[in-house]
């Protein structure tokens, strides 16, 4: 790993600040009948990119402005009824979103702006006709918006955004990881998501062969997603010349990505769920929690026709047994199956209008783009006839013991297996024996064609054993510690657009440890509070508080990557990810201290927190690139040394946070 200098020049250090102010206010409007609560929190942050060499214009700082507001009114017209209305929103404005810490810079004219946020409106009613019955109903409406556009189009109406982007000249992005975006940003993005939901549940307490808490419920959601990429027809990528990224005039065309079908996309879906569960105590020492859940999905694609529908039933059951019949040794066992109903991501995956792209390279000798694209993606996905819902099975077993004197211990074994993921297999390209380049296609077009399946050979497994120990010295002083051994294993970390099963020659290497696998984790935390350390008078006291959190965990695995000529990048594995290469052990200590002032009905806390006290800058991501384009020699950096395993990012440095909190 590349060592971190003890002290960097100020010109090479990123500078940032982040501030927030929150106000919470609540109380009765009509005593015991009507009351309210409201919260407002504003945040403002600015981060600047270090300038390592001269530029015509300095990169602009990234600016974050956001507001979170919340309000709730609750009305209890009688002892049997409670009604509430609730609203919240989070408008956010981000300027210069392309600013990046490292060797990647953007000129002011190439920056972008992002406006995002949304709101939630909800209403609820709880009805308790008697002591053994509870009926609860809630309604929701939610909207989330994103507007992302070049800074050159700031102030343009949303309707004219596409015309503005298409009218920009010098639209390009850097092709090199350490390149410099000097051109105007070439496209925008708009998203509107709406969710209308209703849910109702009935809880009934009965005595029949023991005590029961029966609960049944139904949830229904209607989802709408509208996306648009105004001005997106093609994006040109440029690479710097022999004089390096400093020479802005030396940038030349590298390749161009052309897109089709990225206009307005409208998706909709209906999700309905129903469940029935019970908390049954047949005898004093045993509690059983059986249940079953039904999920129905009806998802429409981008042309309004049915994309996918399904209905699933998932059993779940848990039990707790008092082993020693003294309430101090509970043994717990749980099993549950969980289905993925799809949501709108599947509507998009099974689109019917073309959404393809093609990559065309620049011919420097001819001074023109090559006549034929090097990479072409078909606009539609093939769909198998037997798509099924992905699912996971989860089981945990454990035992806890109150050993007296405030000490407690708990040991839990957990196993989770998820399979039948939504998987997009590439089925048209013919690869060479090494899986490093394409030598033909089955239909002769050279297009990439993806088939949507839910194969059982795609899976993830998570196994863990956790032992936790707690000690409560008194009501104001307690500590907790835990150790976890775990293993995350499978074929890929996620679903949808994955590279799994795309290259047959790579399939043998695709099962191994997952990117989030951490073998060992140790956590120690505690807090202490003495509210009346200094008694001033009967109604006034000064107190002290403290807290600490220490974590140690194994680094995640990585593996050597080899060059893939077709994708023009390093994406091929030479072996399974088996833990031979791991990031270093990661640790962090956070401390908190403060004073409290209690005066009559008010309490104030002044706290100082220090995160990463020892300023540990452990590497948390590295370069996976292993061999050069030939595959026979290591890939060398500008310094002439192999780049495999060199640091890309490190743990956040030490920072302080000062807070003031009041209650009255």
């Amino acid at each position: 790993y590349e060592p971190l200098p003890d002290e960097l020049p100020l010109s090479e250090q990123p500078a940032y600040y982040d501030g927030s102010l929150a106000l919470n206010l609540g109380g009765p409007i009509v005593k015991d009948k009507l009351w309210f609560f409201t919260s407002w929190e504003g945040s403002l942050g600015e981060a600047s990119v270090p300038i390592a060499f001269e530029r015509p214009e300095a990169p602009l700082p990234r600016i974050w402005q956001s507001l979170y507001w919340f309000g709730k009114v609750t009305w209890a017209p009688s002892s049997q009824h409670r009604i509430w209305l609730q609203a919240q929103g989070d408008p956010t404005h981000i300027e210069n979103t392309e600013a990046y810490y490292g060797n990647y810079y953007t000129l002011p004219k190439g920056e972008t702006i992002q406006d995002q946020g949304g709101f939630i409106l909800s209403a609820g009613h709880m009805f308790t006709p008697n002591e053994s019955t509870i009926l609860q109903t809630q309604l929701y409406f939610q909207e989330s918006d994103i507007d992302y556009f070049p800074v050159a189009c700031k102030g343009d109406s949303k309707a004219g955004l596409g015309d503005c982007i298409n009218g920009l000249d010098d639209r390009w992005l850097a092709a090199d990881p350490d390149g410099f975006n000097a051109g105007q940003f070439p496209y925008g993005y708009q998203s509107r998501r709406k969710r209308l939901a209703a849910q109702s549940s009935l809880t009934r307490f009965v005595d029949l062969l023991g005590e029961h808490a029966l609960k049944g419920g139904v949830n229904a959601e209607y989802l709408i997603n509208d996306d648009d990429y105004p001005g997106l027809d093609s994006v040109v990528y440029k690479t710097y010349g022999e004089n390096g990224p400093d020479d802005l005039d030396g940038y030349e065309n590298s390749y161009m990505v052309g897109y089709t079908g990225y206009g307005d996309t409208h998706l909709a879906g209906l999700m309905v769920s129903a469940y029935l569960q019970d908390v049954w105590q047949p005898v004093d020492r045993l509690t059983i929690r059986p249940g079953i859940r039904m999920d129905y999905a009806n998802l429409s694609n981008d042309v309004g026709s049915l994309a996918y529908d399904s209905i699933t039933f998932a059993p779940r059951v848990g039990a707790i047994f008092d082993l020693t019949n003294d309430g101090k040794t509970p043994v717990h066992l749980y099993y549950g199956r969980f289905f993925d109903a799809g949501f709108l991501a599947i509507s998009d995956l099974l689109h019917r209008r073309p959404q393809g792209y093609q990559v065309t390279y620049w011919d420097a000798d001819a001074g023109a783009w090559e006549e034929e694209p090097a990479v072409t993606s078909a606009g539609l996905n093939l769909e198998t006839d037997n798509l099924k819902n992905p699912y996971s099975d989860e089981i945990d077993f454990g035992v806890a013991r109150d050993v007296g004197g405030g000490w407690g211990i708990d040991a839990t074994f957990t196993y989770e297996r998820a399979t039948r993921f939504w998987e997009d297999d590439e089925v048209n390209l013919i690869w060479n024996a090494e899986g490093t380049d394409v030598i033909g296609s089955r239909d002769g077009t050279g297009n990439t064609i993806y088939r949507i399946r839910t194969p059982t050979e795609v899976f993830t497994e998570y196994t863990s054993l956790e032992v936790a120990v707690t000690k409560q010295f008194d009501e104001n002083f307690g500590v907790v510690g835990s150790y976890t051994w775990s293993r995350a294993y499978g074929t890929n970390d996620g679903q949808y657009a994955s590279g799994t099963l795309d290259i047959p020659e790579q399939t043998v290497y695709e099962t191994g440890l997952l990117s989030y696998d951490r073998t060992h984790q140790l956590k120690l935390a505690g807090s202490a509070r003495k509210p009346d350390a200094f008694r001033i008078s009967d109604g006034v006291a000064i107190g002290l508080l403290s807290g600490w959190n220490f974590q140690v965990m194994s680094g995640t695995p990585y593996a050597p990557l080899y060059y893939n000529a077709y994708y023009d990048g390093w994406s091929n594995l030479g072996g399974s990810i088996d833990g031979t290469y791991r990031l270093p052990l990661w640790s962090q200590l956070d401390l908190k201290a403060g004073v409290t002032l209690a005066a009559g009905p008010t309490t104030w806390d002044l706290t100082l927190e220090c995160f990463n006290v020892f300023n540990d800058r452990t590497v948390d991501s590295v370069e996976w690139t292993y061999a050069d384009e030939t595959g026979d020699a290591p890939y060398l950096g500008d310094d002439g040394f192999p780049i495999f395993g060199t640091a890309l990012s490190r743990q956040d440095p030490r920072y302080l946070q000062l807070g003031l909190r009041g209650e009255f």
Side-chain angles (χ1 to χ4, degrees), residues 364-411:
D365 295 332
W369 297 105
E370 294 179 350
E371 295 183 3
E372 296 293 333
V375 178
T376 303
S377 172
L380 298 176
N381 295 322
L382 301 178
E383 178 184 342
T384 57
D385 295 330
N386 60 341
L387 289 177
K388 298 181 179 180
N389 295 78
Y391 69 91
S392 67
D393 288 313
E394 304 180 13
I395 185 171
D396 72 62
F397 171 75
V399 59
R401 176 63 184 174
D402 179 356
V403 296
W407 287 95
I409 186 169
D410 183 288

Side-chain angles (χ1 to χ4, degrees), residues 97-152:
T97 61
E98 303 306 304
Y100 182 82
Y101 305 127
N103 296 324
Y104 191 83
Y105 300 89
T106 300
L107 277 178
K109 70 175 183 178
E111 273 294 354
T112 59
I113 295 175
Q114 182 168 319
D115 291 318
Q116 65 185 38
F119 63 90
I120 300 175
L121 303 176
S122 66
H125 175 224
M126 179 181 291
F127 176 44
T128 54
N130 51 60
E131 294 181 352
S132 61
T133 306
I134 301 173
L135 175 63
Q136 185 167 315
T137 303
Q138 291 181 275
L139 301 174
Y140 299 87
F141 177 76
Q142 178 179 356
E143 180 172 332
S144 301
D145 301 334
I146 295 178
D147 288 289
Y148 174 74
F149 51 90
V151 69

Side-chain angles (χ1 to χ4, degrees), residues 465-487:
L465 178 62
E466 180 182 35
V467 178
V469 178
T470 60
K471 168 62 175 176
Q472 194 67 38
F473 295 92
D474 55 47
E475 62 180 6
N476 293 316
F477 180 25
V479 296
V480 58
S482 67
Y483 165 77
T484 303
W485 172 91
S486 65
R487 183 174 184 263

Side-chain angles (χ1 to χ4, degrees), residues 1 486-489 493 512-519 554-560 573 576-584 620-622 624 644:
Y1 305 109
S486 65
R487 183 174 184 263
Y489 186 80
D493 293 353
L513 297 177
L514 301 177
S515 64
Y516 54 86
D517 177 75
R518 295 184 185 273
T519 308
S554 302
T556 54
Y558 63 100
L573 289 167
S576 298
I577 302 179
D578 58 5
T580 300
Y581 301 96
R582 276 190 182 273
L583 294 174
D620 56 22
S621 70
V622 297
W624 289 33
F644 176 70

